[in-house]
Amino acid sequence: MRTVASPQTASTTRSDVDRRRILLVESSPAAQSILRGELEAEGYEVKVLDDPEKVASAAVEGRPDLILLDPANAGFDLVRQIKSSQETMETSVVLLSTRTEVADKIAAFDSGADDYLTKPYFSKELLARVRTRLRVRDSLEASRQLSNQYVEMLFGIGSAITSVFKLDDEVEILLRQALVGAGAHCGSVWLVDKGGRNLQVRAVQGYRDGGPSVDDTLPLGAKIPALTGAADDTPVEIRLYEDREARTVFVPMVARERLVGGIEIQPRESARRFSPMQQKMLFGLASQAAIFIENTRLEREVRSMFLNIIVSLAGAVDAKDAYTHGHSLRVARTALIVGREIGLPRERLEPLLMSAILHDVGKIAIPDEILQKPSRLTDEEFEVMKGHAKAGAKMLAHIPALGEVIPGIRNHHEDWDGGGYPDGLAGRDIPEFGRIILIGDAFDAMTTDRVYRSGRPVSAAMEEIRQGRGTQFDPDLADAVWSAYEQGKIHESMPQHTPGIYELIEQIQ
Ligand SMILES: [Fe+2]
Ligand SMILES: [Fe+2]
């Protein structure tokens, strides 16, 4: 049997076969019988109580959708009690009273009652009021669910969009959140590309066929293909498109008055179209996402600027030592190969990259005659040279963003057996970045030409690293670099090419 509540709203909270429960509190057997009959004829499940004392507990146990009661029997205190309990505060309370004074009605509403009807009443009016109360309850419930979903979505996006280098995963999450939140069936996320001229598909979900594909592009200002039926020609960047035929909306993501992209979304087959509430929610979601994406982009720009400064700094050091041109970037390349081989997460690879690029930055403090001396250094000169590790760490110590980067700079000359410098650390006491950079540093020193000798083949350098396993080098890392070599990730011609910074950044995406 169908319920009397609006099927559209009811379907969002309960199924049609789920009957509405009404608790009727009435002491007169005659009135009980008439009311019960009328309510049941409307499809409600009715429970009758004649003892007001039992109403509060029956409301908790039976979870009625609505309570009908006469305050002459129960008093306003009972209404207050129902409306202040966590378990029953959502239950609608309709009072049926013989008292017609305005003061009584005010007292009733003040106690929390949802409606007030004076006896005698027309049963049609009573039934209409019951229907109205249940409808209001449904729409409150639906909007609460929607706002819960919205809050969850925003939190989801806030915590998901955190990476500075990789946006695609976050865009996938954003789309999933939007689909779940809007109860939608399929959709896609489009972002404005680097040049700012095109929209590019970055994520697609739920299409069986005929939907957009990742990397599809569309010139800005053109319409989304699914929306060709849309009535007006307003460019896509400034409004929410709704194509009733295709039941598709395109919600623009706008941040700082600039179009960042958009979410294209379709409701489920069963939903005719998005409600104004859902559309608002999608707008809210899209603008939050736009801000996150824009911030991520800005952060990437700042990071990229920061990395460029670091590369220039390292380049200045390499230039001072004419024989090691490009050394820092090549060391960073090998360090990343080792870091990836041992499964370092992305969040660690980025500081590893910076640490490796900056590992010799302290050489700026070393006099040129020592740094550029073509012959072997004297013991005193070597002591001065050794100072570069500490000097580099000290130079950068005041930059909080480099906290994770500095140990690799200070300790990149520590040997596994404790025979290195500057701190004479051994084994796992040596910071991990220091142990990794040491391998990259040794590999580059062996494989590049120096004034007093030419570079050795990669195979010989690899053999040397294997020999130093457990004495100079961390055995696990020596195994990792060997494994990378065997897989062809390190090859004979590699030392001849010095990578650029963006080539390296790509390695950690
Ligand atoms: Fe060094
Ligand atoms: Fe070095």
Side-chain angles (χ1 to χ4, degrees), residues 56 69 71 74-84 107 111:
L69 63 86
F76 297 138
D77 282 346
L78 175 60
V79 182
R80 258 183 225 105
Q81 192 185 343
I82 292 168
K83 286 295 183 179
S84 59
S111 69

Side-chain angles (χ1 to χ4, degrees), residues 327 331 359-360 363 412-413 441:
H327 170 70
V331 170
H359 77 280
D360 275 338
K363 282 188 179 173
H412 75 274
H413 283 290
D441 200 29

Side-chain angles (χ1 to χ4, degrees), residues 13-14 138 184 220 320:
T13 54
R14 54 180 67 214
D138 279 344
L220 258 186
K320 224 167 110 80

Side-chain angles (χ1 to χ4, degrees), residues 72-371:
N73 297 331
F76 297 138
D77 282 346
L78 175 60
V79 182
R80 258 183 225 105
Q81 192 185 343
I82 292 168
K83 286 295 183 179
S84 59
S85 153
Q86 279 285 346
E87 288 149 306
T88 52
M89 65 198 314
E90 310 275 315
T91 307
S92 300
V93 178
V94 177
L95 300 182
L96 304 171
S97 175
T98 47
R99 308 180 74 144
T100 53
E101 297 294 314
V102 173
D104 288 313
K105 292 183 183 174
I106 292 172
F109 287 115
D110 283 349
S111 69
D114 295 285
D115 206 353
Y116 189 99
L117 219 65
T118 48
K119 291 178 180 173
Y121 50 82
F122 291 106
S123 60
K124 280 194 174 166
E125 185 184 356
L126 171 67
L127 293 173
R129 293 207 186 203
V130 165
R131 280 198 299 273
T132 306
R133 288 323 315 164
L134 292 175
R135 221 166 26 233
V136 169
R137 203 175 112 87
D138 279 344
S139 81
L140 278 176
E141 174 65 23
S143 73
R144 187 174 313 106
Q145 276 188 3
L146 213 56
S147 62
N148 282 349
Q149 283 169 348
Y150 184 40
V151 169
E152 271 169 33
M153 270 196 309
L154 293 187
F155 274 115
I157 290 168
S159 55
I161 302 184
T162 50
S163 163
V164 285
F165 282 122
K166 197 172 169 73
L167 252 182
D168 289 348
D169 289 351
E170 286 72 20
V171 171
E172 288 274 344
I173 293 166
L174 162 69
L175 179 56
R176 218 170 300 138
Q177 302 272 24
L179 291 175
V180 172
H185 151 251
C186 52
S188 54
V189 171
W190 301 62
L191 294 184
V192 175
D193 67 2
K194 269 188 189 156
R197 299 220 173 132
N198 297 300
L199 278 169
Q200 187 176 33
V201 179
R202 299 293 289 267
V204 180
Q205 268 170 37
Y207 281 103
R208 279 199 202 95
D209 44 38
S213 311
V214 171
D215 290 341
D216 277 359
T217 55
L218 200 70
L220 258 186
K223 285 188 177 185
I224 300 294
L227 302 179
T228 43
D232 69 58
D233 298 326
T234 316
V236 80
E237 62 264 34
I238 55 165
R239 58 167 302 187
L240 180 141
Y241 263 95
E242 186 183 5
D243 178 355
R244 288 175 194 206
E245 236 170 87
R247 296 198 316 273
T248 302
V249 290
F250 181 81
V251 193
M253 298 195 277
V254 178
R256 294 168 221 265
E257 294 178 2
R258 205 167 67 82
L259 183 77
V260 171
I263 306 169
E264 179 262 335
I265 206 162
Q266 293 192 6
R268 283 186 192 285
E269 295 298 330
S270 57
R272 280 179 301 231
R273 48 182 298 214
F274 291 121
S275 66
M277 187 80 156
Q278 283 173 318
Q279 292 191 14
K280 268 187 198 153
M281 189 186 71
L282 283 170
F283 256 128
L285 172 70
S287 44
Q288 285 296 318
I291 292 166
F292 283 122
I293 287 169
E294 185 64 5
N295 284 351
T296 306
R297 276 197 178 151
L298 288 174
E299 203 179 329
R300 279 166 100 175
E301 268 174 36
V302 172
R303 287 274 167 141
S304 155
M305 210 159 73
F306 185 56
L307 276 170
N308 276 316
I309 292 169
I310 281 171
V311 171
S312 312
L313 194 61
V317 177
D318 289 351
K320 224 167 110 80
D321 186 350
Y323 307 106
T324 58
H325 180 73
H327 170 70
S328 305
L329 288 164
R330 291 192 303 270
V331 170
R333 172 176 58 197
T334 311
L336 284 186
I337 291 172
V338 175
R340 290 177 69 186
E341 199 62 31
I342 60 169
L344 284 188
R346 209 158 67 187
E347 311 83 78
R348 285 282 284 166
L349 289 174
E350 193 191 325
L352 171 63
L353 169 65
M354 290 194 214
S355 193
I357 290 175
L358 289 171
H359 77 280
D360 275 338
V361 73
K363 282 188 179 173
I364 280 185
I366 306 298
D368 286 355
E369 56 273 24
I370 295 179
L371 205 57

